[in-house]
Amino acid sequence: MPKIKSYTPAWLLPPTPGHDLFAPDPSDTQNGSPYTFKSFSKSVPRRTLARRGTEVFIAVGKEIRWADLVYLKERWEEKQAKARSGSRVKREDSVSPSDDELLRESIESGCAEGFRTITTSVGSEILQLAISPYANFIAVVTTHTIRILLLPDSSHLTAPSLDAIKPKSWTLGPTTHVMDRSPIASAIWHPLGVNGSALVTVTKDAVVRVWELSQKDRWSFDQPSLTIDLQKLADGTSLDQNFAASPDVTNKGFSPDSFEMEVAAACFAGRGSGGWSPMTLWIAMREGDVYALCPLLPEVWAPPPTLIPSLSISIVGNLAAIEDDPNVSELTKLLAQQQLEWMSDLDKQEPRVVEGPPGEPPTEVYTRPTKPGVVPRLQGPFDLELSPESEDDLDTELTDIFAIGQKLDTDELMMGEDEELEMEDVEGEGLSLSIICLLSSSGQLRVCLDMDGVQAQWLPPRNRSKAMGRLAGSPSLLTFQSMDILTSLEVTEDAWPMFSPDVTSRYSFFITHPSSITHISLSPWVFRLESELQGDSHAGSEFRIDLLVKGQSSTRERLYTNTAQPDSQLPLAASVAIRDPDLGYFLLSATPFDPIAVLFDTPDDEFALMRSASPTYEKDAEVKPMDFYEPRPVYQPSHDFDENSSLPLLLDRLRTGRHKTITNQEVRLSPLTLQIFTEAHKILSDETLRLGSAASEVFRRCVQLQVELKQQINKASEVKARVEAVTGEDHDEAREPESNNAFIERRLQNAKERGEALSQRMEKMRKTVSKATSRELSDKEKAWVNEVSVLDTNMFGSSIPVDGPSKLKQTRKRYEEIMRLRDELVEEAEKLGATGSEGGEENLSASTTDLRIPSELRRAKINQVKGLIERETALVDAVKARLERLSTVG
């Protein structure tokens, strides 16, 4: 989502020339007084802003203001720089200077103002402006008429002259789009027109006309190359019927078709879309129905290089898949054969190469195929599946439609080719389905998916129309998401919200309503849905769909909110997004009196290649203010303070009317006097009410300003305290100031001391923890403890040895054998000692002689036995001591 950096900049606020672009002309009056709120209707689409690069065109009344925003911004910055440097600058009064003063100032300063006025020959207020794709024409649309202007060159903006420009212009359909015919609902440039010169107009009585404009052929502005009456086409049965609009201009009576097929808006998808999207006209009816015309083409058209090959592959593949399938209906096979016939007619043509506008490559031009027919079938009304059912009829009154075509599938197109297709990144990214967005007057947005995909369809021939009949069922759109843009208090019946495309992504757009401007982005779910459709995920379908439904949906952010009451809100023009290195990311809208702009924050590296490498720029770029404030729109006082009273106009009418004698007489009670006083009371009551509301708004704003100022001061204090805490400047002011070097050395010393203290505390805690807690034994230690326990049990425990290793069992046997031998030897030694003591040495020697055992051998054996006994005793003592230590440790 874009982050708001600031609102309307200073170079668009009064009394700058940038503000004069949007201010109404004081000389243009209605009923003797300047524009008032009652003179503006909100129940019509107002697309009075258009752009060509950084140049903007603003329709004000019956004229068009033309300016370069970059030039206006730089001129204002130059004036501010001169004012700061102390140079002599002419003081600007509150009243706008005259043209002579501006011209004199421009000549003296050596530069132009950067804006001009374009006069048009229109009879009523301009409601819509539409610039052609290559910015050479602009369509000026009123309620019933259209004027085509040849746009002048940008060099006129830098000329010192301020005279109004009257470029070459033509009236479109001087006998078609007139006041006694149906009003114009939409005027859109066809994306496949040759050099952007094909215009499609849709009137409210559901008549579509295709105009192919050429400066060399004036007749191209008088008669359309194709006319289709959708009411006739909806009831059509064969290709041979005439679906052109009736030339009869008499008023028609009421009919259900005229009521249900009142057009609200129409649109095309982008030129870089894939499939049939660039030649599909989507039409939204006021009562909620949606229709599609495909293919709708001018007689001469210029497709992108990839469009015809991709359509050819799709048509041939579809026909081969259903040709031998017995389950496919005959009508579906007929439609596939008609598509093949249409493509065959196109393949037989030799394209003609036409030079494009300056800076554009040459384009290949084709002629519209005449087979199977020129007029396509009217597809619809589409069934909106899963659409929320509302009890309020206001939700079904559509005001605008916005189509996002499917992405261009290059994998199938370039299959088997070694070369890579050169194309823009946005054309190959996104969703392989078309997205249709519908907007109602209540602010309800519906995002629908074209799951089946709209393809070219024609009516059957006359000889097969009765046998084929109509298509079974009706086409459908899957309602993926529905959201409310407005609150219940902001909904008004006469409002007309509108879509505006974004310049950063084709899956994001703006919605302009008299009460607000909202940004919508579909990117959070578009790319995830595409990965699910392509089968990139290996998880189960139910799990993936559940994640997609419960996951992140479309993002919605309110950018601007009109704080005025709903009944006193001025209509807003459809927003225009601009992205330029000098302006940044810029959104512009306007009321009939003032501009409304929103500046978004852009990444620092977005225009890194266009930055200057000079040391001066780098030095200035490093110093940036800290954005800790909350951006707020600039408050503009109500225009009721600047409007003149209508009471003098009433007095003038009385002085010049048939009752002029009463103005110079005394006031007498009479019906005429009562009527005059009643009219004066109505005027005064209305004016005083509006002035009182405006004054109360000023008072409320002053109170709110105090609250906002307190909040700003508190935030500034918090930021100051944080900065001082980080930099270390929050020391006591009573102390004597110290130098920076001493301050830094003191901080380093304190940090070093704190680090050493922390290290000592950590070491002390580590020793305490190691003593207080016992770590778990390893596997080897556990095995050794088990071995010692088994040894202890086998040697000092029960007589039955515990199961253990064979070595422990052998030790037990050896120990028992040694103990048995020890007992025997001790017993034998005691017997020998007793015998020696009784018989003396003689008996001992006699017995010894009798046994015939040498004394040396006997003595050696005794010493050997004593040594074994001492060794076994030492071994037993050592094992016992070791077991005691283990029990203590455990």
Side-chain angles (χ1 to χ4, degrees), residues 648-667:
L649 182 63
L650 176 62
L651 296 178
D652 292 338
R653 288 203 304 264
L654 289 176
R655 293 190 183 98
T656 57
R658 60 177 179 174
H659 304 295
K660 60 182 179 181
T661 57
I662 193 176
T663 58
N664 298 325
Q665 298 178 0
E666 295 180 358
V667 179

Side-chain angles (χ1 to χ4, degrees), residues 735-854:
R735 298 186 305 175
E736 295 182 0
E738 57 182 349
S739 62
N740 292 335
N741 293 335
F743 173 69
I744 293 174
E745 290 179 358
R746 179 173 58 81
R747 289 193 63 191
L748 289 176
Q749 183 65 26
N750 294 337
K752 186 176 180 180
E753 293 177 356
R754 287 197 302 268
E756 293 178 354
L758 289 175
S759 300
Q760 294 177 1
R761 289 183 60 189
M762 185 175 179
E763 183 65 21
K764 185 177 180 181
M765 292 177 64
R766 187 183 64 81
K767 293 180 178 179
T768 305
V769 169
S770 61
K771 292 179 180 180
T773 60
S774 59
R775 61 183 180 86
E776 295 183 358
L777 298 177
S778 63
D779 295 340
K780 292 184 178 180
E781 291 174 342
K782 291 180 180 178
W784 184 75
V785 171
N786 188 20
E787 181 180 353
V788 173
S789 300
V790 173
L791 178 61
D792 178 62
T793 304
N794 289 331
M795 295 183 67
F796 303 102
S798 60
S799 59
I800 302 175
V802 181
D803 294 337
S806 58
K807 292 183 179 180
L808 298 178
K809 296 180 180 179
Q810 294 177 3
T811 304
R812 173 68 177 178
K813 293 179 180 179
R814 290 178 60 190
Y815 180 73
E816 292 177 352
E817 182 67 20
I818 291 172
M819 295 298 292
R820 186 181 59 81
L821 292 175
R822 189 194 66 170
D823 295 339
E824 293 179 354
L825 292 176
V826 170
E827 184 179 357
E828 185 178 355
E830 291 178 352
K831 290 180 180 181
L832 290 175
T835 305
S837 60
E838 293 177 358
E841 292 180 358
E842 294 179 357
N843 294 333
L844 181 59
S845 61
S847 60
T848 303
T849 304
D850 295 337
L851 293 174
R852 295 180 181 180
I853 296 176

Side-chain angles (χ1 to χ4, degrees), residues 527-591:
F527 298 99
R528 175 183 287 185
L529 178 59
E530 178 63 18
S531 64
E532 299 295 340
L533 294 177
Q534 299 299 330
D536 296 340
S537 178
H538 300 287
S541 59
E542 295 182 358
F543 175 74
R544 299 199 311 270
I545 293 175
D546 185 65
L547 284 180
L548 184 62
V549 172
K550 296 181 180 179
Q552 189 176 9
S553 60
S554 302
T555 56
R556 172 184 55 188
E557 183 179 2
R558 179 72 66 91
L559 303 178
Y560 169 81
T561 302
N562 190 355
T563 58
Q565 297 296 329
D567 55 350
S568 60
Q569 292 173 349
L570 292 172
L572 292 180
S575 304
V576 174
I578 304 174
R579 195 176 185 182
D580 184 76
D582 296 318
L583 289 177
Y585 189 10
F586 193 82
L587 183 69
L588 183 64
S589 181
T591 67

Side-chain angles (χ1 to χ4, degrees), residues 51-56 68-69 131 135 576-580 583:
R51 76 177 186 93
R52 180 177 64 178
T54 59
E55 302 173 15
V56 293
D68 189 347
L69 296 181
I131 292 185
V576 174
I578 304 174
R579 195 176 185 182
D580 184 76
L583 289 177

Side-chain angles (χ1 to χ4, degrees), residues 453-470:
V454 172
Q455 297 184 0
Q457 293 186 14
W458 295 266
L459 292 171
R462 181 183 296 272
N463 56 356
R464 304 181 64 179
S465 60
K466 293 183 180 180
M468 292 300 176
R470 292 181 174 270

Side-chain angles (χ1 to χ4, degrees), residues 402 404 435-437 445 447 480-481 483 505-509 519-527 552-555:
F402 184 70
I404 305 174
I435 301 177
I436 310 301
C437 300
L445 171 65
V447 181
F480 184 84
Q481 190 177 13
M483 65 178 72
S505 173
R506 66 193 190 107
Y507 290 103
S508 60
F509 49 86
H519 179 266
I520 305 294
S521 177
L522 311 180
S523 300
W525 59 267
V526 162
F527 298 99
Q552 189 176 9
S553 60
S554 302
T555 56

